[in-house]
Amino acid sequence: NVHLAQRDDGCPFAVKSIYVGRRRSEPNSMAREEIAVMKSLRHDNIVKLAEVIETSDAFHLVMEFAEGGDLRQYINSRGPME
């Protein structure tokens, strides 16, 4: 789930919640891998991961907001990229 939020200064950001449950180690491992990859990426065309908030049953990834939807929406509306 991805939700739009706003900082105190009005700047938008996205929060992606990855629910893993307390006892499921495989989803937890996959979530940690996604977080590690996102932390390592540095490119103007890739949203930046600002912070990770871990709770007992979820990881909440605070990310730069990218207006216009996600890559899946782009491909669905415009067709495959070349």
Side-chain angles (χ1 to χ4, degrees), residues 1-58:
N1 300 332
V2 179
H3 302 281
L4 177 62
Q6 265 188 350
R7 296 190 324 207
D8 290 339
D9 64 2
C11 186
F13 61 92
V15 178
K16 177 179 181 178
S17 297
I18 303 172
Y19 294 95
V20 293
R22 293 182 182 175
R23 297 184 183 180
R24 295 184 289 172
S25 62
E26 186 175 325
N28 192 324
S29 174
M30 289 172 29
R32 289 186 185 281
E33 286 179 32
E34 179 176 346
I35 291 166
V37 168
M38 289 191 69
K39 283 182 176 180
S40 70
L41 296 174
R42 299 284 184 265
H43 192 279
D44 291 341
N45 295 331
I46 299 174
V47 296
K48 292 167 186 61
L49 176 63
E51 181 180 2
V52 178
I53 301 166
E54 186 175 348
T55 62
S56 62
D57 64 345

